[in-house]
Amino acid sequence: MGEAGAGTGAPGGPEASPEAEVVKLLPFLAPGARADLQAAAVRHVLALTGSGPGRALLAGQEALLQALVELAPASAPARDAARALVNLAADPGLHETLLAADPGLPARLLGRALDPQWPWAEEAAAALANLSREPGPCAELMAALAAAEPADSGLERLVRALCTPGYNARAPLHYLAPLLSNVSQRPAARAFLLDPDRGGVVGTLRNCCFEHRHHEWLLGPEVDILPFLLLPLAGPEDFSEEEMERLPVDLQYLPPDKQREPDADIRKMLVEAIMLLTATAPGRQQVRDQGAYLILRELHSWEPEPDVRAACEKLIQVLIGDEPERGMENLLEVQVPEDVEQQLQQLDCREQEQLEREQERELELAPEPWVERATPT
């Protein structure tokens, strides 16, 4: 979720240092403060979160963070406070500082996100979605989820809120999906979501496919996940009768106006999920037997995005290539040689540095307004 914007209007004078301004804000954020002064104080906090130094200043203020979370829900300042927390959580470099200053922040945000009466539940979910991208904060959130009553665990409530239309009549809950997808980084969350007695969540499928012990179940008749992953990747191709018979029924004789998934990021995620399902020899055989190669072949010919096409090409090579030598059949458990791992890490670092430089140039050209931002894993 993007950064929020608001006009300035600090209660403190223009000569005050940033640290002094933060100290002066606390009385105006307390319960019972005059509504107009409280609103001005929160607007100033929100304005500070629009810059890196401002976010760094605020992230270490435990009392201020708690005051933002605890503002009365029906007030306009509570909305701006929720957006300020979204902005703070959107900065990965501040996650450790936020948790050190306020270890209870994930639990309080979770309570707000799952409260069916909370008007700013969407902002709370967005802040958690931003915060849970990194392993450390995600582990803290899992601890908060596990601390719920055993009869109604936090994960149970999270899935129920996501899957219940109108769960919160006062706020949309779109960010619960990327939040749950981030949580599925944790083995305990994947074990919960992959329990055959519970319904799965589409946004977590790729992360869940890391659990190769469940591939047989996912690809088998009980779930039969592969056609659901392949259908968005399929176009209006006219296969021969022999090829058509190799495809699952749901992928046969698609209409001539069939369109592929228009979002490249989603297409890539679908390809990656199928790649994970081919990690073991039985999984590769099941994917081959269901004609995945035919859909992927046509996708590769059509795909305009280089990174998606590269992922598709890699998957095709796995499906048509020779089986790995004995002892290396499980691709998720293969040990990468140390020198190769170091080379890959160096490449990742260079790519990350280039990406950060591009992002800095974009920020210099145009400050980001308050807009919703998707949260991938």
Side-chain angles (χ1 to χ4, degrees), residues 234-248:
E237 290 80 23
D238 186 16
F239 295 108
S240 67
E241 289 296 325
E242 181 182 355
E243 290 178 326
M244 199 72 73
E245 291 178 359
R246 295 169 54 190
L247 293 169

Side-chain angles (χ1 to χ4, degrees), residues 87-100:
N87 289 352
L88 289 170
D91 193 332
L94 297 178
H95 287 176
E96 290 187 9
T97 305
L98 283 170
L99 292 178

Side-chain angles (χ1 to χ4, degrees), residues 46-199:
L46 180 55
L48 285 173
T49 64
S51 70
R55 289 191 294 269
L57 172 67
L58 296 170
Q61 304 297 323
E62 178 180 359
L64 185 140
L65 294 175
Q66 292 181 358
L68 292 178
V69 175
E70 294 170 0
L71 286 172
S75 64
R79 177 195 60 191
D80 287 342
R83 293 179 174 181
L85 290 170
V86 172
N87 289 352
L88 289 170
D91 193 332
L94 297 178
H95 287 176
E96 290 187 9
T97 305
L98 283 170
L99 292 178
D102 188 5
L105 183 61
R108 285 203 296 277
L109 287 173
L110 181 65
R112 298 292 188 249
L114 297 181
D115 184 345
Q117 301 300 321
W118 194 259
W120 317 119
E122 175 74 333
E123 283 79 4
L128 281 174
N130 284 338
L131 195 61
S132 60
R133 294 177 185 176
E134 306 295 322
C138 188
E140 296 289 338
L141 178 57
M142 279 299 297
L145 289 166
E149 293 295 327
D152 190 21
S153 72
L155 267 175
E156 186 102 41
R157 292 175 60 202
L158 182 55
V159 173
R160 185 167 63 247
L162 178 61
C163 299
T164 303
Y167 176 85
N168 186 330
R170 307 176 69 183
L173 294 174
H174 303 305
Y175 281 92
L176 288 184
L179 170 59
L180 189 58
S181 180
N182 289 347
V183 168
S184 67
Q185 297 175 74
R186 308 296 299 178
R190 294 198 293 266
F192 171 87
L193 294 167
L194 287 168
D195 185 341
D197 295 330
R198 301 180 188 274

Side-chain angles (χ1 to χ4, degrees), residues 274-293:
I274 300 171
M275 172 69 84
L276 290 170
L277 291 171
T278 65
T280 62
R284 289 190 288 277
Q285 191 58 51
Q286 286 178 282
V287 173
R288 291 186 184 111
D289 290 345
Q290 296 192 56
Y293 165 74

